[in-house]
């Protein structure tokens, strides 16, 4: 965004340097990227007075001029322009001057006559495309004066980088508001002196009854206004208007079009001027293309290109056909031309998302769409319309008909927020006074009711669409105070020996979760919280609960993720495209679901995602080869539950098949038993294989196994467990192995349970160490198998002797065959 300092000073009486202004704006969050001189290329051009002009003796089309440039002697200059004459004031390029096109002016001899400079045309100066003759300046200018000074050209322009949330700053007015706020200056709006003409020809007329406005969907266009001008004479804009547009990088076109661009840059309101004589009927209709797509599959825009339409594109229609892509570009079939005399001036507000989609799809960015995509001031749009109509009348001689044609099916609703000074200071770490905060909020354009000193009622202005919550007001107070002035101090934290340690905080738990995952051989994935609507649709996730991003960076990041899977699957696609097919990934991140009861309008839930794909091990020898499968991801989940003491020999997680999952097939629920077997099982998360069709969309040709676990629930459950201290053993263990011959259908855990039921004294641990299936029936299925268990005995206070161990071990050997159909 380019801002002319001259233009800015028409709104605020700023007298400081451009550098001080740039520094202040940057500290207020509007980064000034550069300070430019838009007319630097003609900075050395001076005003000359043609004292004498005679025909060249050797060339009929050349003139030999004697030009006064304020020096001791007149300069001889040979000129080929047909309109050069004695007594004119003209722009002169002196010897050594480099012109905007790169040509250096040197002393030359033309047909035998010496020329010591050049009299310039507007095109040679870069001021317009006019080159039929030299540029003739006003008569009262002083010879030798710099041209930029004589014409009042802007020499200081700042380039400001505007963040997507600050749509109000996409204008001179917006930056002027910030300057007024930063330097404590008054803000003055341009004077409005619109003169209406109540007659068109011989009959009195009111535009409100002359043109009808129809809006199909108030959500797509909450308001549409139009003014009608008659008797306009299309031509070149006045110098002040052209030069001001040139200073900020805008190309002058014609007086009517230049005014719309002028208001766009001054007030931030996009406008469009139609040739009313080319509009069919006295109707303007704002409607999507869908109902009329069969009749109008495309539209030719002002740039002469034919644009194919989609049903979602918002169009401006007359009584018969589309005449503009709403908020993006006008149509060629209704554009202003040199022959135009009747003007219908449009001023409207459109839904940002609709304009963004159309402009991006058609690769048709414009200054208008750039502002509509971010939001335009609905209340301030009326002032912009009136000022534009006034300027058009002044520069074209047109008459402005009485009244406004308008439809406003969705009027602007004022927004009110609370403001608590104590909470503001607590969040910012400052001690701002009530007077400062009140002055700041009023300077922002807010209405402040501080009847209750502890909780103010603040109404935000219509041009600040980003002020949605109380914390936004806090940010404004901190920004105006100066973010650079907030002291960099560590927060005071009071800790006692009995206080909760860092590992017990949410952050500490999540860090520990990441440490476990890395230790388990997984690689961390870090993804944006933003995903695309297509990503969620591809996973068959419901549309309810999604949170749309107001100003997304792209259509691929236009919504907050409701589950962690989309990011991990995009990681799969990226890794496969880079030739990495063996993946063991994890991500610890939040999922977001819309919740109107939350302060942030979103419910956040920390999730742990685990994903395996491809070969189980990246290296062949000495590792077992095979593709990662359900057992791999299930083993990771079991290891995690054991790590946090949520699963043990007494507490075993249940894995329950769940049909009908949106993107996992098969899908298994991971559940922990309720307390004392009375409560319902607790759902920890889900494990499953990504459906093949979905996996194929991410270029995965092998199975993708995924686990999605509730990290917040894991933390609460782990905090509920009570760690028990047990001193390290001082005496050596005695181990005995026992091999049990049992039916192949008998589970090893049943044998373990039977051994524990015998309750041998001194038994410290029990583990299955070997499985062997020696026999098989005719079908090749084993009928029996051998299970070898290792029993470890230990006494806490002395060393055991064999006799004691043999006695207890004998109980196991004799008791097992009595409990189960086994042989020892």
């Amino acid at each position: 965004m380019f801002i002319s300092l001259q233009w800015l000073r028409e709104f605020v009486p700023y007298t400081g340097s451009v550098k001080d202004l740039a520094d202040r704006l940057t500290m207020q969050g509007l980064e000034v990227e550069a300070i430019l001189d838009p007319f630097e290329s003609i900075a050395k051009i001076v005003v000359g007075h043609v004292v004498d002009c005679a025909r060249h003796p050797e060339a009929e089309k050349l003139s030999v001029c004697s030009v006064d440039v304020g020096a001791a002697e007149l300069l001889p200059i040979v000129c080929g322009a047909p309109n050069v004459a004695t007594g004119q004031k003209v722009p002169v390029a002196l010897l050594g001057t480099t012109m905007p096109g790169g040509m250096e002016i040197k002393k030359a001899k033309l047909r035998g006559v010496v020329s010591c400079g050049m009299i310039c045309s507007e095109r040679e100066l870069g001021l317009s495309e006019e080159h039929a003759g030299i540029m003739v300046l006003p008569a009262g200018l002083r010879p030798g004066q710099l041209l930029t000074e004589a014409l009042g050209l802007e020499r200081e322009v700042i380039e400001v980088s505007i963040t997507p949330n600050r749509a109000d700053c996409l204008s001179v007015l917006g930056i002027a508001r910030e300057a007024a706020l930063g330097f404590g200056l008054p803000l003055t709006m341009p004077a409005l002196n619109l003169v209406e003409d109540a007659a068109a020809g011989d009959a009195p007329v009111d535009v409100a009854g002359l043109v009808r406005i129809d809006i199909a969907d108030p959500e797509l266009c909450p308001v549409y206004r139009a003014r009608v001008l008659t008797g306009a004479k299309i031509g070149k804009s006045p110098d002040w208007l052209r030069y001001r547009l040139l200073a900020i990088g805008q190309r002058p076109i014609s007086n009517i079009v230049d005014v719309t661009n002028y208001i766009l840059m001054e007030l931030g309101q996009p406008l469009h001027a139609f040739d009313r004589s080319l509009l069919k009927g006295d109707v303007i209709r704002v409607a999507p293309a869908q109902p009329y797509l069969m009749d109008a599959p495309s539209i030719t825009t002002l740039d002469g290109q034919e644009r194919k339409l989609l049903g979602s594109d918002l169009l401006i229609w007359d009584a018969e056909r589309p005449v503009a892509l709403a908020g993006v570009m006008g149509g060629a079939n209704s554009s202003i031309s040199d022959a135009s005399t009747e003007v219908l001036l449009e001023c409207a507000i459109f839904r940002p998302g609709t304009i963004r989609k159309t402009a991006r799809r058609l690769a048709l960015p414009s200054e208008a769409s750039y502002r509509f995509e971010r939001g335009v001031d609905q209340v301030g749009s009326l002032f912009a319309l009136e000022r534009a109509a006034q300027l058009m009348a002044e520069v074209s001689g047109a008459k402005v008909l009485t009244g406004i044609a308008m439809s406003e099916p969705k009027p602007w609703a004022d927004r009110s927020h609370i403001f608590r000074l104590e909470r503001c200071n607590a969040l910012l770490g400052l001690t701002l006074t009530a007077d400062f905060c009140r002055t700041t909020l009023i300077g922002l354009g807010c209405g402040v009711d501080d009847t209750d000193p502890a909780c103010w009622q603040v109404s935000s202005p219509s041009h600040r669409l980003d002020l949605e919550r109380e914390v936004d007001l806090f940010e404004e107070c901190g920004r105006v105070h100066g973010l650079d002035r907030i002291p960099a101090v560590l927060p005071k934290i009071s800790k006692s020996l009995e206080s909760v340690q860092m590992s017990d905080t949410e952050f500490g738990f999540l860090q520990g979760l990441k440490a476990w995952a890395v230790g388990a051989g997984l690689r961390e994935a870090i993804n944006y919280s933003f995903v695309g609507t297509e990503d969620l649709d591809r996973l068959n996730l419901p549309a309810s609960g999604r949170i749309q991003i107001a100003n997304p960076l792209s259509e691929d990041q236009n919504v907050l993720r409701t589950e962690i899977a989309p990011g991990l699957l995009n990681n799969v696609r990226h890794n496969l495209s880079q030739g990495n097919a063996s993946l063991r990934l994890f991500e610890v991140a939040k999922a977001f679901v819309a919740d109107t009861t939350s302060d942030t309008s979103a419910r956040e839930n920390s999730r742990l995602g685990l994903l395996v794909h491809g070969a189980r091990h990246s290296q062949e020898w000495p590792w077992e080869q095979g593709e990662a499968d359900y057992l791999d991801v299930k083993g990771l989940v079991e290891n995690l539950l054991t790590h946090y003491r949520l699963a043990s020999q007494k507490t075993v997680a249940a894995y329950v098949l769940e049909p009908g999952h949106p993107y996992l097939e098969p899908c298994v629920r991971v559940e922990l038993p309720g307390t004392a077997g009375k409560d319902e099982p607790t759902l920890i998360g889900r494990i499953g294989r990504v459906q093949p069709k979905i996996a194929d969309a991410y270029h995965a040709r092998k199975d993708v196994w995924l686990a999605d676990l509730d990290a917040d629930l894991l933390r609460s459950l782990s905090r509920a467990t009570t760690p028990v201290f047990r001193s390290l053993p001082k005496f050596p263990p005695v181990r005995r192995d026992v091999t049990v011959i049992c039916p192949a259908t008998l589970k090893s855990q049943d044998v373990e349970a039977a051994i524990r039921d015998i309750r041998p004294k001194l038994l410290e641990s029990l583990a299955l160490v070997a499985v062997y299936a020696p026999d098989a029936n005719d079908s090749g299925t084993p009928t029996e198998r051998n299970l070898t268990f290792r029993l470890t005995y230990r006494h806490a206070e002395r060393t055991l002797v064999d006799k004691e161990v043999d006695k207890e071990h004998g109980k196991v050997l004799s008791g097992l065959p009595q409990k189960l159909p086994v042989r020892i």
Side-chain angles (χ1 to χ4, degrees):
M1 178 70 190
F2 294 97
I3 299 296
S4 158
L5 200 60
Q6 251 184 27
W7 204 347
L8 181 75
R9 286 179 172 139
E10 294 182 4
F11 287 86
V12 288
Y14 177 72
T15 57
S17 69
V18 66
K19 186 178 184 307
D20 289 342
L21 175 65
D23 291 342
R24 186 59 184 161
L25 290 176
T26 299
M27 288 301 102
Q28 289 181 207
L30 303 173
E31 183 182 0
V32 176
E33 296 186 344
I35 300 174
L36 309 171
D37 181 353
F39 297 107
E40 183 180 11
S41 59
I42 60 172
K44 294 182 180 180
I45 306 296
V46 299
V47 175
H49 175 69
V50 182
V51 176
D52 182 57
C53 179
R55 181 175 297 176
H56 193 289
E58 300 295 333
E60 183 178 347
K61 293 185 178 181
L62 297 180
S63 300
V64 179
C65 304
S66 297
V67 183
D68 179 9
V69 293
E73 298 180 357
L74 300 180
L75 289 183
I77 299 177
V78 177
C79 179
N83 63 329
V84 65
T86 301
Q88 291 176 334
K89 293 294 192 301
V90 294
V92 177
L94 302 177
L95 296 179
T97 301
T98 301
M99 300 298 292
M103 179 182 68
E104 183 180 354
I105 304 302
K106 298 179 181 180
K107 186 175 182 180
K109 185 175 287 188
L110 301 176
R111 298 289 184 93
V113 177
V114 174
S115 181
C116 297
M118 183 174 77
I119 302 176
C120 307
S121 68
E122 289 191 13
R123 186 167 74 171
E124 290 165 337
L125 296 175
L127 298 179
S128 76
E129 294 301 315
E130 180 64 46
H131 64 285
I134 60 169
M135 181 180 185
V136 180
L137 302 175
L141 301 182
R142 175 175 54 84
Q145 186 179 12
L146 292 176
L147 180 66
T148 54
E149 179 184 330
L151 297 181
L153 300 182
E154 177 62 84
R155 300 302 305 278
E156 294 175 318
V157 169
I158 57 176
E159 182 182 1
V160 187
S161 177
I162 308 297
T163 53
N165 64 309
R166 292 305 305 273
D168 62 297
C169 290
L170 292 172
S171 63
V172 178
L173 173 60
I175 301 299
R177 288 191 184 109
E178 290 295 311
L181 192 64
F183 293 98
L185 299 173
L187 179 72
T188 304
M189 294 294 290
L192 190 61
N193 185 27
L194 177 63
V195 178
E196 294 181 317
D197 193 302
D202 297 327
V205 68
D206 189 323
V207 174
L210 184 64
V211 179
R212 188 178 83 248
I213 309 295
D214 292 336
I215 298 177
D217 186 348
E219 294 298 326
L220 299 180
C221 178
V223 62
Y224 190 104
R225 299 184 180 94
R227 277 274 190 186
V228 174
L229 294 85
T230 64
K233 184 177 181 181
I234 309 301
K236 188 177 179 180
S237 295
D239 290 345
W240 68 267
L241 177 54
R242 292 188 298 112
Y243 297 157
R244 181 153 283 180
L245 291 176
L246 284 170
I248 58 173
Q250 295 289 311
R251 180 175 63 89
I253 300 172
S254 67
N255 48 11
I256 296 296
V257 176
D258 289 349
V259 167
T260 62
N261 290 333
Y262 184 88
I263 296 300
L264 171 74
M265 306 308 295
E266 182 182 61
L267 303 178
Q269 172 65 54
L271 305 168
H272 184 66
F274 295 100
D275 184 334
R276 183 167 173 256
S277 65
L278 298 178
L279 298 176
K280 306 293 185 180
D282 292 324
V283 176
I284 291 292
R285 187 169 69 249
V286 186
Q290 181 59 51
Y292 317 96
L293 205 56
M294 295 297 292
D295 299 327
S298 65
I299 182 174
T300 301
T301 48
L302 287 174
D303 56 2
Q305 300 295 315
E306 185 176 350
R307 312 286 180 177
K308 296 296 182 181
L309 298 175
L310 293 182
S312 58
D313 294 331
L314 187 63
L315 302 177
I316 308 298
W317 302 74
D318 60 13
E320 301 177 5
R321 58 190 177 155
V323 292
L325 276 170
V328 180
M329 187 174 286
N333 56 3
S334 60
S335 62
I336 296 291
S337 65
D338 293 343
S340 300
T341 59
E342 304 288 312
V343 177
L344 186 141
L345 178 61
E346 165 198 279
C347 179
I349 303 295
F350 301 112
R351 181 182 178 184
T354 302
I355 305 305
R356 182 185 307 111
K357 288 179 180 178
T358 299
R360 300 289 171 86
R361 179 179 62 82
L362 296 176
L364 192 59
S366 64
E367 292 286 356
S369 66
Y370 187 78
R371 284 157 178 80
F372 278 129
E373 288 175 14
R374 288 154 176 78
V376 176
D377 181 6
Q378 182 169 337
V379 176
S381 63
L382 178 59
F383 179 84
L385 175 66
E386 301 291 68
R387 177 155 169 76
Q390 174 188 327
L391 290 178
M392 285 183 179
E394 292 174 358
V395 302
S396 71
K399 294 181 179 180
V400 181
L401 296 187
T402 301
I404 300 175
M406 182 183 73
S407 175
E408 191 172 14
K410 187 178 180 182
W412 173 258
D414 291 333
R415 300 163 301 165
S416 182
H417 321 279
I418 63 171
F419 181 88
R420 292 166 289 180
L421 180 60
E422 184 178 355
R423 179 169 173 77
C424 175
N425 284 327
L427 286 179
L428 294 177
L430 297 171
T431 54
L432 302 179
T433 65
D435 288 341
F436 172 82
C437 292
R438 186 185 303 106
T439 301
T440 297
L441 294 175
I442 293 174
L444 290 169
C446 298
V448 178
D449 179 3
D450 56 356
T451 305
D452 182 356
C455 184
W456 300 355
Q457 294 295 323
V458 178
S459 59
S460 56
S462 58
H463 62 267
R464 288 301 302 271
L465 302 177
D466 59 315
L467 300 183
E468 298 176 338
R469 301 173 294 165
E470 182 185 15
V471 290
D472 294 330
L473 303 177
F474 298 165
E475 180 185 3
E476 292 301 301
C477 291
R479 186 173 64 86
V480 175
H481 173 267
L483 300 179
D484 56 318
R485 295 170 56 197
I486 298 179
V489 295
L490 292 175
K492 295 180 180 179
I493 300 177
S494 299
K495 281 280 187 180
S496 64
L497 293 176
E498 293 78 19
S499 64
V500 177
Q501 299 301 310
M502 176 60 73
S503 60
D504 196 41
T505 64
E506 181 181 2
F507 174 78
F509 176 79
L510 295 180
Q511 291 300 108
L513 201 58
K514 293 180 181 181
W516 165 84
V518 172
L522 304 175
R523 292 181 179 271
E524 183 176 8
I526 301 177
N527 295 299
Y528 284 115
S529 299
F530 313 130
V531 296
T533 301
E534 292 183 359
D535 289 318
L536 300 182
D537 291 342
R538 188 179 295 118
L539 298 184
N540 303 313
L541 296 174
S544 60
R546 298 182 186 179
I547 302 175
Q548 299 290 330
I549 306 301
N551 296 299
L553 298 175
S554 68
E555 289 301 314
D556 295 333
Q557 296 179 331
N558 63 352
V559 66
L560 286 172
R561 62 183 169 213
T562 56
E563 295 203 17
I564 203 169
L568 287 170
L569 291 173
N570 279 315
N571 296 143
V572 171
R573 175 163 52 195
H574 178 73
N575 277 271
L576 292 177
S577 68
Q578 302 300 316
N580 182 22
S582 180
L583 301 175
R584 296 173 67 84
L585 304 176
F586 82 94
E587 182 177 11
V588 177
K590 290 184 180 294
F592 305 86
V593 179
D595 184 357
T596 55
T597 63
S598 171
D599 290 341
T600 61
S601 72
R603 184 175 69 254
E604 303 179 18
N605 177 217
S606 296
R607 311 293 300 183
L608 168 64
L610 309 174
L611 183 144
V612 295
H613 170 273
R616 182 172 287 113
H617 299 288
S618 58
Q619 296 178 346
E620 295 185 1
W621 186 88
W623 311 108
E624 175 188 355
Q625 292 305 294
E627 298 295 325
D629 56 20
Y630 169 72
L631 294 179
D632 290 88
V633 69
K634 178 176 180 287
L636 289 170
V637 173
E638 290 184 340
N639 184 279
L640 173 65
L641 297 179
T642 302
H643 176 76
Y644 282 105
R645 306 179 301 276
L646 301 179
S648 62
Q649 294 172 339
K650 295 182 179 180
T651 305
V652 180
Y655 299 89
V656 183
L657 194 64
E658 177 184 332
H661 191 272
Y663 58 88
L664 297 179
E665 183 184 351
C667 174
V668 174
R669 295 165 57 94
V670 183
E671 299 176 345
L672 289 178
T675 306
K678 297 180 181 179
D679 299 334
E680 292 293 324
T682 301
L683 176 63
I684 299 295
R686 293 173 174 83
I687 302 173
R689 182 187 64 179
V690 178
Q691 295 175 12
K693 285 186 178 180
I694 297 176
D696 184 68
Y698 292 94
H699 304 166
R701 301 297 181 262
K702 298 179 180 179
D703 290 344
V704 179
W705 293 92
L706 181 70
D708 181 3
L709 307 177
D710 189 335
D712 289 335
L713 182 58
L714 289 174
R715 176 173 177 253
S716 63
L717 292 176
S718 68
R719 293 183 67 188
T721 61
T722 303
V724 178
F725 172 76
R726 185 172 62 185
S727 60
L728 295 174
K730 299 178 182 178
F731 299 95
V734 177
R735 296 184 176 87
R736 294 283 192 272
D737 288 353
V738 56
T739 298
V740 177
I741 304 173
C742 61
T745 56
L746 185 63
K747 297 180 180 179
S748 62
Q749 63 189 40
D750 293 338
V751 180
E752 290 186 21
I755 294 175
R756 295 187 184 279
D757 284 344
I758 297 173
R759 298 182 180 179
K761 297 178 181 179
L762 309 177
L763 181 64
E764 182 181 72
S765 64
L766 170 63
L768 178 66
V769 295
V771 178
Y772 175 64
D775 298 328
N777 56 22
D778 296 339
S779 64
T781 302
T783 57
E784 289 187 330
R785 59 177 181 169
N786 299 351
L787 306 178
T788 301
F789 294 89
R790 179 161 295 162
L791 289 73
T792 301
Y793 300 89
R794 192 197 305 265
H795 198 287
E797 299 178 355
R798 58 184 174 82
T799 302
L800 292 175
V801 296
D802 288 343
K803 184 176 180 180
E804 293 177 287
V805 176
D806 291 342
K807 179 180 178 182
E808 296 302 321
H809 193 63
K811 294 180 182 178
V812 174
L813 300 181
S814 60
L816 266 181
Q818 299 177 14
K819 289 180 172 291
L820 298 171
V822 300
R823 306 192 307 276
I824 304 300

